[in-house]
Every structure is written in C-alpha cells, then in structure tokens.
Amino acid sequence: MTADAPTSPSGSPSGLRGLLPDLAPWRASVDFRRLWLSGLISNFGSFLTFVALPVQLKDLTGSAAAVGAIGAVELVPLIVFGLYGGALADALDKRKLIVWTEAGQGLLSAALLLNALLPEPAVWPLYLVAALSSALVSVQRPALDSLWPRIVAHDDLPAAASLNSFRWTVGGVAGPALAGVVVAYAGLGSAYAADLVTFVVSVLLVVRIAPSPASHEAAGPSLKSIVEGARYAWSRKELLGTYAVDLAAMFLAMPLAVLPFLADELDAEWSLGLMYATIPAGSLLVSLTSGWTSRIHRHGRMVVLSAALWGLAIAAAGVVGNVWLVLLFLTVAGGCDMVSGIFRGAMWNQTIPDGLRGRLAGIELLSYSVGPTLGQVRTGGVAAWLGVRTSVWSGGLMCAGAVGLLALCLPKLMTYDVRTNEHALRLRDQRAAAAPSPAPDPAPDPAEA
C-alpha cells in the first residue's frame, strides 16, 4: 500500500483502491512473478489446443460421440496421476517437476503439429495426446499448488490466490476467443505451433525460479504416502468440507453440456458464445475487484455461502425465459464460483503443512476437476429425460440444498477463522521461525565518532 492510499479505520485501503486486487505477492516475490507469467502464457497456448483438438476430431470423424470421447480418455489419467502427482510433489523438487511436465506438454504440442501437417492426419494420436496431457497436468498441478506457499508470505496467500484466479479467468475469457480466430483463419497447424511456442517461453521462465526441494520430513511417493495424505484430509473436517462443497456444486450444477440446447430453446442461437463466456466473465469481474477478500477471516462461511449462491444463480438461469436474464444469472454464478475458489485456496495454503501439501493438492485437483466432468454427464442425462431447463434449475436447487446440508454436517467448516484456527496459527509460526533474521545494523566506526 502506498503512503497516500486512503484507509479505513481498520487500516485497510478504502474506496475503489480497497476493491482492486492486492499486489503484495507480485511486488514481494520475483519467483511469484515468474511463475505467474509462466502460467498466464502457457494458459493461452493451452486454450488454443483446447479448441483446436475437438475441431480437428470433428473434421476427421464427423462424429459428436468421437469428440465427446476426449473427456473419457482424460478422466482415468486425471484420477490416477492426480493422486500420484501429489505424492511426487512432496517427494521431489517442485521446480524440476514443473519444468519437466511443462516441457512434456510442449512435446505433445509438437506431436499434434506434426500430425496436423500430414497429408492425412490420423485420429488415434489425438486421443493419445489428450490422455498424456491429462496425466502431465495432473502431475504438475499439485507441484504448482504446493509451491505457492513457499514463495509467498503467509499473510499474502489470499492475495496470491486472487491473482492466480485472475490469471486463469483472463485465459478463460480471452483464450477461447483467440483460439477460435486462430483456428478459423490460420488453421490447426498454426494453433498447435503457437501452443508449442508458449510452452517454450513458459519453461524459460520457470527454470529461473529458485529450487524447491522436498522438505526433510516428506515421505517418498508410494501408496502408503497417498493414504497418509487422505487420512490427514479426513482428520481436517474443515478441509474435507471445502472438497465436498466444491464437488457437490460442480457435479449438481455445472450447465455447460446443455448450453447449446438451452440457446435453441430460447430461440437465441446467437447467444451460445456469450453463454460460454459468462461464467469466466463473472469470475474475472470478481478477480478484478478482489481486494476485499484479504480482509475476510471466516473463509469457511464464504465457501459455503458462495457455493450456495452459485447453485441458486444456476437455478435462476434455468427458470427464466429471457436470454439476457440467463446471461446475467450465469455471470453471477461465475462470480460466486470465483469467490468460493479464492477462499478454498486460502484455507488450503494457510493451514496444510509443507510436507503434506503436494498430496493434499492432488486431492484438491480431484475435487475441482472430477466434479465438472461427471457433472456434464449428469446434466446431459437429466436434460434427455426431463428437459433442458428442468435439468438446469433442478441441478441448481439440489446444489444449494446439498451445500446447506454439508454445512450442517461439518460445523468446523462454518466456524473456521484464520485468526484462531490452530493449524493456521501453527503454520504461521513455523514460517515466521524459518524466515531469515534481518541483518543487524553495522556498528558505528569509532573514527567517524
């Protein structure tokens, strides 16, 4: 905060400046800046492939089922390598793990590029690359998620979560739009080539961050170590609540699979692109005004409240018959999802011991990745059975009800306060004790005296 920033009586920035994202992690840590920029660049490239790969499958097969099978081949690697990747993140140098998985993603982009340049591109490499990419992402994400607490001050972790969310939402809004233009006007090969370039730049940034070796108490990667992480998560009911709430919200109220059909029912086919953009746009709006999140201490209540409001906003989008109201409620839902994500991340980063952080990050990966994947299946199945709008509004109401029930069953989630939670206080004290002491002032020179 600058010296002339207006403050509230509590000392926090007031007015518009109090809403703007807190840049303390960006200013204080060069490794945070490098890792943040690396993620932003590779995120844009990944969206190029995210759009190009199903387009190429559609062109080669003409089958919607073939395109939908991409999710099926990604699911098993996501589950298996998400858990094992968490154990690897605790046992190995996190920076090396991130560098090698990022380089592996670049090689996969190169494989897609070579296949696209063939006179007759093959179909099977697309599925193979999708599965391998899912495995690499599942190994990398726990290492990334467990590295942030090492390079950001303890009290700045909520601000870091907001800045990371902003990075992802920028990619979620702008990435698909850019990808659509590149694929349509420059071709699939150009999209894959651009993705390859972004991975090269990303690797060059990540190799410059400081090494991040395993902590001395970390267990080697094994089934036993994975079970140990799961037992720790089970013992922490407030953490368990964050996983369960997010899983319920994404499984019951993720509407993306039926948005094309919803646009048709509203006689507004033109709105489909806007519908897909609304949820990340709502998230982006919250990210841009996330300064207030650093002043909230009861993170568990915010997770519950925002997840319930996500469900109610999705339900409203299914009930209303006006396309502009649908877009509004989907935008509100995206904002609520971002609030939930910021406070879940803050709870994880400020309370989980360093030696378990990777394994818990693997569990987190499953909670926010498997839910949406299975949620698409649920939403599509109910839509085929009871209708599109019924599928949307019923899922939203079930989400709100499930979140409320979880809050009743897991009271520690509702009473969590970062100022008093024993795990947060212990981790803060450990990090303060491990921080290097400031150098003493030099003794005065007697000659000068």
Side-chain angles (χ1 to χ4, degrees):
M1 184 175 67
T2 58
D4 58 349
T7 59
S8 64
S10 64
S12 299
S14 61
L16 178 60
R17 188 167 297 188
L19 291 176
L20 295 177
D22 185 351
L23 299 180
W26 178 273
R27 291 192 295 264
S29 172
V30 64
D31 282 346
F32 177 85
R33 294 196 294 271
R34 288 169 178 162
L35 203 57
W36 193 93
L37 288 172
S38 166
L40 179 67
I41 293 168
S42 64
N43 195 29
F44 269 95
S46 296
F47 270 109
L48 291 170
T49 297
F50 177 79
V51 173
L53 194 145
V55 168
Q56 187 176 20
L57 261 178
K58 172 180 172 293
D59 292 343
L60 293 175
T61 66
S63 168
V67 176
I70 295 175
V73 301
E74 291 174 337
L75 184 58
V76 173
L78 176 68
I79 295 173
V80 174
F81 288 93
L83 292 173
Y84 188 65
L88 286 174
D90 282 334
L92 303 177
D93 186 301
K94 303 179 196 305
R95 183 194 65 171
K96 290 182 179 179
L97 202 56
I98 295 169
V99 169
W100 285 111
T101 51
E102 196 79 351
Q105 291 275 56
L107 291 177
L108 293 180
S109 296
L112 289 174
L113 173 60
L114 292 175
N115 184 61
L117 295 177
L118 293 175
E120 295 184 4
V123 171
W124 65 266
L126 305 184
Y127 290 115
L128 178 61
V129 167
L132 292 175
S133 178
S134 178
L136 287 174
V137 169
S138 300
V139 171
Q140 184 187 80
R141 283 301 298 274
L144 272 172
D145 290 345
S146 58
L147 181 57
W148 298 116
R150 288 190 173 189
I151 62 177
V152 176
H154 185 84
D155 290 338
D156 289 339
L157 286 169
S162 297
L163 291 174
N164 285 328
S165 298
F166 173 73
R167 181 195 68 190
W168 283 106
T169 52
V170 166
V173 173
L178 176 64
V181 173
V182 172
V183 170
Y185 293 99
L188 294 165
S190 297
Y192 295 140
D195 191 15
L196 173 58
V197 171
T198 64
F199 280 119
V200 172
V201 176
S202 176
V203 168
L204 292 176
L205 284 168
V206 176
V207 295
R208 298 182 64 194
I209 70 175
S212 185
S215 57
H216 66 276
E217 72 271 17
S222 64
L223 179 60
K224 180 181 178 181
S225 69
I226 294 173
V227 171
E228 180 187 1
R231 286 176 176 168
Y232 177 81
W234 182 262
S235 71
R236 294 278 310 281
K237 301 306 180 187
E238 67 275 28
L239 288 184
L240 192 65
T242 64
Y243 304 146
V245 165
D246 189 45
L247 191 62
M250 295 296 100
F251 174 68
L252 294 171
M254 175 54 73
L256 296 184
V258 298
L259 290 184
F261 304 97
L262 181 60
D264 288 345
E265 283 204 8
L266 297 173
D267 195 25
E269 292 83 358
W270 55 267
S271 69
L272 179 58
L274 293 176
M275 287 186 182
Y276 278 118
T278 49
I279 291 178
S283 298
L284 181 59
L285 288 174
V286 168
S287 297
L288 291 172
T289 57
S290 61
W292 61 274
T293 60
S294 297
R295 301 188 292 276
I296 300 296
H297 306 291
R298 296 184 178 273
H299 299 163
R301 292 186 180 182
M302 292 303 297
V303 170
V304 170
L305 177 62
S306 55
L309 289 176
W310 152 272
L312 293 177
I314 294 296
V319 170
V320 298
N322 182 281
V323 65
W324 294 107
L325 289 177
V326 170
L327 295 173
L328 172 63
F329 284 121
L330 289 176
T331 304
V332 171
C336 294
D337 184 49
M338 176 54 62
V339 173
S340 175
I342 288 173
F343 288 108
R344 290 197 315 270
M347 289 179 65
W348 299 337
N349 291 334
Q350 289 184 311
T351 66
I352 298 174
D354 185 75
L356 288 163
R357 191 67 190 86
R359 280 164 285 175
L360 271 292
I363 296 174
E364 294 156 18
L365 174 69
L366 297 184
S367 75
Y368 59 69
S369 298
V370 173
T373 302
L374 296 178
Q376 304 285 32
V377 178
R378 186 213 68 83
T379 303
V382 175
W385 180 32
L386 298 175
V388 173
R389 293 174 64 182
T390 300
S391 172
V392 176
W393 67 254
S394 64
L397 290 182
M398 285 192 293
C399 166
V403 169
L405 183 60
L406 287 169
L408 291 175
C409 295
L410 297 166
K412 285 191 175 182
L413 178 62
M414 296 297 290
T415 58
Y416 174 88
D417 189 323
V418 70
R419 298 168 297 184
T420 58
N421 180 266
E422 59 175 314
H423 303 283
L425 293 176
R426 183 183 303 119
L427 198 58
R428 180 185 291 113
D429 292 342
Q430 289 174 352
R431 295 193 66 183
S437 302
D441 293 332
D445 188 337
E448 291 182 359

